[in-house]
């Protein structure tokens, strides 16, 4: 296979601005098939904008975004989005659809046969640790936050997209549920081998999930590498995030009494 066929997503000199405000500046980034790249950064650093450029929710002001070696300009947006699963923090489940209907929405749009959709829904629920017999016919308001998030991940995976975009999907959960879902997602990724682009502002989550970490700062990618390499980075923004790993050692809260 040629090198290009190993690349799932590529940004070439991509900038994005809105209302004369620069959100991304000259982003160059290559994402390989099967890797989980975590975009880490503070609010407003350009993480979510980068994610939205992949499935053409936004178009670059300058530069080119390629998905499967094809510019997003040349993709039919509907076909592109059906190749890309999307899981977000507030989940976006349809409240008037039950769990089964929510998970099956993209396969339905793809005109899958009913029995195939039903089988896929059951498979996805088992995959994310929810018993199909118990949860398939419940509605979103009958689920806990963690359960809704699991359904959101199941829905993003239902049509078997090769690329999965995740925008702080566990950010609103309590720490214990969040850790459980991070561990489960990491296990899922070893099974499924998807290309995942995961946005977070939590360095522990980045270290837990990322094959590589891309650190965003004021619209620029200021670091890209493994978690071990991140720990060696001397960039001030990297050091600020590293300090969050062990704030007590940094003396940020004063001495204990």
């Amino acid at each position: 296979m040629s090198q290009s066929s190993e690349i799932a997503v590529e940004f070439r000199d991509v900038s994005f601005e809105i209302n004369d405000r620069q959100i991304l500046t000259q982003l160059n980034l290559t994402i390989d098939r099967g890797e989980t790249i975590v975009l880490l950064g503070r609010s407003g650093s350009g993480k979510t904008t980068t994610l939205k450029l992949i499935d053409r929710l936004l178009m670059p002001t300058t530069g080119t975004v390629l998905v499967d070696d094809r510019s997003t300009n040349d993709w039919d947006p509907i076909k592109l989005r059906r190749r890309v699963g999307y899981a977000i923090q507030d989940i976006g489940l349809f409240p008037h659809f039950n769990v089964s209907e929510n998970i099956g929405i993209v396969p339905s749009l793809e005109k899958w046969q009913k029995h195939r959709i039903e089988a896929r829904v059951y498979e996805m629920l088992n995959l994310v640790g929810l018993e199909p017999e118990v949860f398939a016919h419940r509605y979103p308001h009958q689920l806990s936050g963690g359960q809704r998030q699991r359904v959101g991940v199941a829905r993003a995976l239902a049509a078997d997209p090769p690329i999965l975009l995740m925008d702080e999907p566990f950010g609103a959960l309590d720490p214990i549920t969040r850790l459980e879902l991070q561990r489960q997602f990491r296990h899922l990724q070893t099974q499924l081998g998807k290309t995942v682009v995961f946005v977070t502002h939590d360095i522990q989550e980045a270290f837990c999930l990322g094959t590589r970490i891309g650190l965003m700062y004021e619209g620029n990618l200021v670091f890209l590498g493994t978690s071990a390499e991140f720990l060696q980075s001397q960039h001030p923004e990297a050091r600020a995030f590293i300090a969050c790993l062990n704030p007590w050692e940094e003396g940020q809260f004063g001495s204990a009494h």
Side-chain angles (χ1 to χ4, degrees), residues 37 60 89 146 183 198 202 204 229 237:
I37 189 159
Q89 180 173 310
R183 287 172 173 165
F198 193 108
D202 182 336
Q204 290 179 316
E229 291 166 341
E237 189 70 357

Side-chain angles (χ1 to χ4, degrees), residues 49-249:
T49 297
T50 302
L51 214 61
K52 289 180 175 179
L53 285 162
I54 295 173
D55 70 348
R56 214 179 136 159
L57 289 172
L58 297 173
M59 297 298 288
T61 305
T62 59
T64 307
V65 181
L66 297 109
V67 177
D68 292 337
D69 294 326
R70 186 199 291 182
S71 168
T72 52
N73 281 314
D74 299 331
W75 272 98
D76 174 271
I78 294 173
K79 288 182 179 177
L80 175 61
R81 287 169 200 154
R82 289 183 187 172
R83 287 183 58 78
V84 177
Y86 209 142
I88 56 178
Q89 180 173 310
D90 58 9
I91 306 143
L93 298 181
F94 299 112
H96 55 293
F97 281 12
N98 64 26
V99 165
S100 179
E101 291 165 334
N102 265 287
I103 295 173
I105 185 70
V106 176
S108 296
L109 292 170
E110 292 284 341
K111 303 288 193 290
W112 288 22
Q113 292 183 341
K114 187 176 179 181
H115 69 87
R116 185 183 174 203
I117 294 173
E118 188 173 305
R120 185 64 173 170
V121 166
Y122 272 56
E123 181 186 357
M124 289 297 97
L125 283 171
N126 281 316
L127 196 65
V128 298
L130 296 174
E131 294 176 54
E133 295 79 6
V134 175
F135 290 98
H137 299 293
R138 290 189 183 178
Y139 285 82
H141 73 273
Q142 297 172 310
L143 306 175
S144 69
Q147 289 165 349
R148 287 196 298 272
Q149 202 61 67
R150 289 169 192 260
V151 173
V153 171
R155 184 176 67 178
L157 291 168
D160 201 22
I163 299 170
L164 188 60
L165 308 180
M166 307 189 77
D167 193 356
E168 301 197 46
F170 311 139
L173 301 174
D174 65 83
I176 295 171
T177 304
R178 184 172 184 167
L179 183 60
E180 288 173 355
L181 285 182
Q182 287 168 353
R183 287 172 173 165
Q184 185 175 36
F185 181 76
R186 189 169 59 181
H187 177 66
L188 272 182
Q189 177 58 353
T190 61
Q191 290 180 283
L192 301 176
K194 301 290 184 188
T195 303
V196 181
V197 187
F198 193 108
V199 161
T200 187
H201 58 258
D202 182 336
I203 187 171
Q204 290 179 316
E205 186 164 70
F207 275 34
C208 173
L209 299 179
T211 309
R212 289 188 297 160
I213 297 168
L215 179 61
M216 306 289 295
Y217 180 65
E218 294 185 349
N220 293 281
L221 183 67
V222 296
F223 169 86
L224 180 64
T226 65
S227 53
E229 291 166 341
F230 190 96
L231 290 172
Q232 301 304 314
S233 173
Q234 295 305 308
H235 191 282
E237 189 70 357
R239 301 315 302 174
F241 271 99
I242 290 164
C244 299
L245 285 170
N246 229 327
W248 294 100
E249 287 188 5

